[in-house]
Amino acid sequence: MSTPQQDQTRLSDELAVAAGASPHHEAPAHASQLGRPLLQVRDLQVAYGQIEAVKGISFELPLGQITTLVGANGAGKSTTLLALSGLVRKAGGSVDFDGQDLSAMAPHRIVRSGVVQVAEGRATLTTLTVHENLELGAYTRRIGKAEREADIERIYQLFPRLKERARGLAGNMSGGEQQMLAIGRALMAKPRLLLLDEPSMGLAPIIVQDIFRTLREINRGGLTIFLVEQNVRQALKIADRAYVLETGRIVLEGSGQQLLGDPKVQQAYLGH
């Protein structure tokens, strides 16, 4: 039986291998299109009763880039993602996805439009097998079995550990394996925009580093990513564009590298 340290090392190695593959099978955007706004948010407001969680924020997600939203626990980051996915009611503002108004769209229609979220805590279906979880990822696409199985095989190429555990219950997997599964299941929906909520949560540092490296390589395959994270240093390292959220308001924005070097960010989030 392997030790937890050996399992962590193996997961790290698999993520490193996965970083050499691209799971986004649609043709990448033409170079002239890269950087244009894929999603535009204007004056987004979300309230829970009398409590304003998101207070009129505006931002853009450029096509083909990684954008990150960072901040402390309770800043409103996860609520922002839930609003984009249609899972919480918006009190105001607009969300435009490549010319489509998502503001009042139902969650399943948002997924069909190409916006797919990996939820905080991974939210794998623990009583189903790994393979069944991946099958459910393609539910909204209404494709045949042959195409679905071919797509699952591509996910297994990206994450070989999942193929080994294909017939095992998702609930018996480690946190790192479940994060692989959550990402793989989201990719089965063939998103144009992938939303990730705290993908590093609860994972060992060596796995966190490789998860972020894998996300960067997935992005290089053409997929636009919006990353919400408390691990500010890791998020800013891989981000093309970054926003800092404090108590429901965006207080800083710039490139990932600019914010890494910003004294306010260093003092508040990086321990300098």
Side-chain angles (χ1 to χ4, degrees):
M1 181 178 293
S2 61
T3 66
Q5 184 174 8
Q6 288 171 328
D7 285 341
Q8 283 187 8
T9 301
R10 184 178 181 185
L11 281 171
S12 177
D13 290 344
E14 283 196 2
L15 284 163
V17 170
S22 171
H24 189 57
H25 308 301
E26 297 178 7
H30 190 275
S32 63
Q33 295 286 310
L34 294 177
R36 72 169 176 82
L38 178 63
L39 184 134
Q40 296 175 296
V41 176
R42 294 288 177 264
D43 195 30
L44 178 65
Q45 302 165 55
V46 181
Y48 297 109
Q50 298 300 311
I51 300 173
E52 285 187 282
V54 178
K55 303 172 183 176
I57 64 174
S58 299
F59 59 90
E60 296 181 347
L61 306 183
L63 178 67
Q65 295 186 10
I66 296 178
T67 302
T68 189
L69 182 67
V70 298
N73 189 36
K77 306 185 305 298
S78 293
T79 297
T80 298
L81 276 194
L82 292 173
L84 298 186
S85 297
L87 296 172
V88 298
R89 185 182 299 274
K90 304 166 190 64
S94 65
V95 180
D96 180 276
F97 176 64
D98 204 21
Q100 299 180 77
D101 184 4
L102 304 187
S103 302
M105 192 177 287
H108 70 279
R109 292 186 59 207
I110 291 175
V111 172
R112 284 179 179 167
S113 75
V115 179
V116 179
Q117 180 173 344
V118 178
E120 179 181 349
R122 296 174 279 281
T124 54
L125 298 172
T126 57
T127 60
L128 298 183
T129 67
V130 168
H131 198 85
E132 289 168 339
N133 268 270
L134 293 175
E135 287 179 324
L136 285 176
Y139 176 75
T140 61
R141 292 171 55 206
R142 298 179 180 176
I143 57 176
K145 181 177 179 180
E147 183 178 354
R148 184 178 66 244
E149 291 302 314
D151 287 345
I152 290 175
E153 189 58 38
R154 293 186 187 103
I155 300 300
Y156 288 154
Q157 291 172 10
L158 181 66
F159 296 120
R161 185 62 171 255
L162 296 184
K163 187 168 187 175
E164 293 178 12
R165 306 294 297 274
R167 302 304 170 187
L169 295 180
N172 294 334
M173 301 170 76
S174 70
E177 291 168 337
Q178 288 193 25
Q179 189 59 268
M180 290 180 186
L181 178 57
I183 293 171
R185 187 178 62 188
L187 293 173
M188 284 293 296
K190 291 290 182 75
R192 298 178 59 207
L193 171 60
L194 183 65
L195 311 177
L196 292 124
D197 194 358
E198 307 282 6
S200 72
M201 178 179 289
L203 301 183
I206 187 172
I207 303 301
V208 170
Q209 291 176 14
D210 287 318
I211 285 283
F212 278 91
R213 183 172 65 209
T214 301
L215 291 177
R216 193 37 150 169
E217 292 301 324
I218 290 171
N219 165 253
R220 287 175 182 151
L223 184 59
T224 305
I225 294 176
F226 187 37
L227 171 66
V228 158
E229 259 296 338
Q230 288 188 63
N231 190 329
V232 175
R233 187 185 305 276
Q234 289 288 349
L236 293 179
K237 280 182 178 180
I238 69 166
D240 300 293
R241 187 76 184 163
Y243 297 88
V244 177
L245 192 67
E246 291 183 2
T247 60
R249 301 184 189 278
I250 291 175
V251 296
L252 286 171
E253 63 180 272
S255 71
Q257 290 303 309
Q258 285 174 334
L259 293 193
L260 268 176
D262 188 291
K264 294 179 182 177
V265 174
Q266 292 178 347
Q267 182 177 10
Y269 301 105
L270 303 180
H272 289 191

